[in-house]
Amino acid sequence: AAKDTVINCDGKNVVDDVWNVLDKINEFSERVRSGDWVGATGKLLKDVVSIGIGGSFQGPLFVHTALRTDPEAVKHAKICQLRFLANVDQIDVAQSINGLNLETTLVVMVSKTITTIVTMLNAWTLRTRVVSTLGIDAVAKHMVAVSINLKLVKYFGINPHNAFLFWDWVGGRYSVCSVVGVFPLSLWYGFPIVIKSP
């Protein structure tokens, strides 16, 4: 919805809150894409792994697949790879991260409550690899979260400032239009391309 739209949920206009998060996505994704936000070793972040299941995986993957054929979107793509990890099977995990250099990889953990078992197992797997390769402080530069549960985001070890909030009224099948889809896709294509996509 446009910034001046009024959409009430439980008696509150939620459009301002939504646009605050969208503006944060725009700013952060541009920092990554421009090289202003770099990894723990100072290298540019060129690859993104988005971890999630269901609506946190399928919708963003479908839009990514469609935008890869759009000439304007392709022209703006800056990240080398955008990968999605949705399966807890260790073979699938290995294939999903095969060839990635953790020094140049940003992990996006997408979990509404930070309690989804499959998502959290994959997130802990990648966190363990980041820590064992780059050290505990690297989590702050290589892992971000999309969630409604900032308390558990912090417990996981991600700075809540590097979390992108959405709300319990965002249903799974609508996730692609929320921060769940907009954030990882903006890292690849840029916020202006993603926000105008139908």
Side-chain angles (χ1 to χ4, degrees), residues 37-113:
W37 180 282
V38 294
T41 61
K43 292 185 178 179
L44 297 177
L45 297 173
K46 301 185 298 185
D47 302 300
V48 174
V49 178
S50 183
I51 303 172
I53 62 169
S56 300
F57 157 67
Q58 292 172 333
L61 175 61
F62 292 156
V63 173
H64 174 53
T65 301
L67 287 176
R68 289 172 70 180
T69 64
D70 179 82
E72 184 181 6
V74 169
K75 184 172 73 175
H76 288 88
K78 281 198 174 177
I79 302 294
C80 291
Q81 297 179 74
L82 173 59
R83 300 183 185 189
F84 294 89
L85 178 55
N87 189 339
V88 76
D89 179 80
Q90 289 304 300
I91 300 298
D92 191 55
V93 172
Q95 289 174 338
S96 295
I97 63 174
N98 183 42
L100 290 179
N101 178 354
L102 289 176
E103 287 184 282
T104 61
T105 299
L106 180 67
V107 177
V108 180
M109 179 178 68
V110 183
S111 179
K112 194 173 204 175
T113 60

Side-chain angles (χ1 to χ4, degrees), residues 3 8 24 64 75 88 113 117 124 126 134 136 153 161 165 170 172-173 177 197:
K3 286 187 178 186
N8 289 312
K24 183 178 176 181
H64 174 53
K75 184 172 73 175
V88 76
T113 60
I117 293 171
W124 278 106
L126 267 73
L134 303 171
I136 188 69
V153 164
H161 184 71
L165 185 65
V170 176
R173 66 180 182 261
C177 301
S197 297

Side-chain angles (χ1 to χ4, degrees), residues 24 145 150-151 153-155 157-165:
K24 183 178 176 181
L150 296 182
K151 181 179 177 183
V153 164
K154 185 176 181 180
Y155 175 78
I158 294 175
N159 183 336
H161 184 71
N162 297 337
F164 296 83
L165 185 65

